[in-house]
Amino acid sequence: MLALAPMTGYDIKRHFDSTVRHFWSADKAQIYRTLARLVVEGYAEVEKVAGSGAPDRQEHHITAAGRTALARWLASEPERHAERDPFLARVFFGSDLDDDGLRSLFSYRRTAVLGQLAQFEQMRASAEPSDRGARLRLATLDNGIAHLRAELAWLDTVEREVI
């Protein structure tokens, strides 16, 4: 996030929630711990910005070493992150549910997916990528939309097959 612009921890959390949360989550505590570690490791530095009628802001800036580390990470082979999905765990063990229980389980998930899809599609409709970086960031949103649409189709198939 600091490669995009200097930010406070609060700014980073807001940016996470409005841009990348469909594929990467971070809570406030994690963001502040990571910022502190980046500063200690020399990948970021802090500038105190006087607040007008508010407390001073601790704005973090990426350093040259931080840009080098980011470039090295971008060029490395992506590692696969193990997923943990409580919904899929319920589906896996769902044979203990009756038809109404399964309908409820799938209904909860469908409602959540439709809500998230509406949010993402609204974000997509208002997006106008101005450069390569913006287009790549938008591509991650398109990936989230594709996954949600695929999940809706999968929910339809599973419901037809088991209920």
Side-chain angles (χ1 to χ4, degrees):
M1 291 297 169
L2 296 180
L4 299 175
M7 294 185 205
T8 65
Y10 176 78
D11 295 333
I12 291 172
K13 177 62 174 149
R14 272 193 10 241
H15 208 67
F16 255 91
D17 291 346
S18 66
T19 61
V20 300
R21 76 180 163 98
H22 59 281
F23 67 89
W24 201 275
S25 65
D27 62 36
K28 244 183 349 182
Q30 180 184 9
I31 288 170
Y32 284 100
R33 279 193 314 271
T34 301
L35 284 171
R37 193 178 77 239
L38 291 173
V39 169
V40 166
E41 293 175 1
Y43 297 144
E45 56 192 16
V46 180
E47 177 184 347
K48 191 176 282 194
V49 178
S52 55
D56 292 345
R57 296 167 26 104
Q58 301 291 319
E59 192 171 77
H60 292 76
H61 299 253
I62 192 168
T63 62
R67 288 203 183 276
T68 299
L70 176 61
R72 195 171 39 250
W73 177 75
L74 289 169
S76 68
E77 182 178 342
E79 61 281 355
R80 185 73 180 148
H81 180 71
E83 294 183 35
R84 297 173 70 173
D85 187 331
F87 168 72
L88 288 178
R90 286 174 174 86
V91 171
F92 186 87
F93 294 106
S95 62
D96 287 342
L97 292 172
D98 61 16
D99 286 352
D100 287 339
L102 283 173
R103 277 189 201 92
S104 291
L105 177 64
F106 288 121
S107 176
Y108 291 138
R109 184 61 168 222
R110 182 179 310 283
T111 299
V113 169
L114 286 169
Q116 196 169 32
L117 182 59
Q119 267 186 314
F120 289 1
E121 287 177 336
Q122 183 178 15
M123 291 167 64
R124 182 66 173 93
S126 64
E128 295 180 25
S130 56
D131 59 25
R132 184 178 185 194
R135 179 63 198 114
L136 287 168
R137 289 186 290 277
L138 190 58
T140 67
L141 181 60
D142 291 339
N143 178 273
I145 290 169
H147 279 266
L148 291 169
R149 289 178 179 160
E151 183 165 0
L152 288 171
W154 173 82
L155 284 166
D156 289 342
T157 299
V158 173
E159 283 184 293
R160 273 194 312 272
E161 291 176 356
V162 298
I163 299 175

